[in-house]
Amino acid sequence: MNDATALLHRYLNGETLSEQECAALSEWVCASPDHARLAAELTCLDQAILADQRHRASASLMDSQD
C-alpha cells in the first residue's frame, strides 16, 4: 500500500485529514485514470461493507427482540 492509498483508507475510516494530506490525496487521484479507478473501487467497497454491517446489526437487533 502506498501513502496515497493509506490516506484514502484513513479518510474512509472517518479520520480527518490535514489540508496537506487532502491535497496529496487529491493530486494522486487526479494523476491518472488508474488512480481514480482504484479510489472509486475502494470507496464503493467501503460503502458496501458499511451497508452490510448495518444490515447485519439491524437483523441481529430484530432477532433479539423476538
Side-chain angles (χ1 to χ4, degrees):
M1 182 177 350
N2 65 35
D3 290 341
T5 55
L7 287 174
L8 180 58
H9 282 291
R10 285 180 44 214
Y11 175 76
L12 293 173
N13 285 329
E15 291 185 40
T16 302
L17 302 180
S18 70
E19 287 185 33
Q20 294 84 6
E21 289 170 326
C22 286
L25 181 55
S26 180
E27 288 176 20
W28 178 81
V29 169
C30 294
S32 81
D34 288 337
H35 293 177
R37 188 176 308 106
L38 178 59
E41 289 171 357
L42 290 175
T43 302
C44 288
L45 180 58
D46 181 73
Q47 292 303 306
I49 290 169
L50 288 175
D52 183 61
Q53 288 175 335
R54 279 189 233 113
H55 174 75
R56 289 174 188 262
S58 176
S60 177
L61 180 61
M62 291 179 73
D63 288 344
S64 67
Q65 292 177 351
D66 289 337

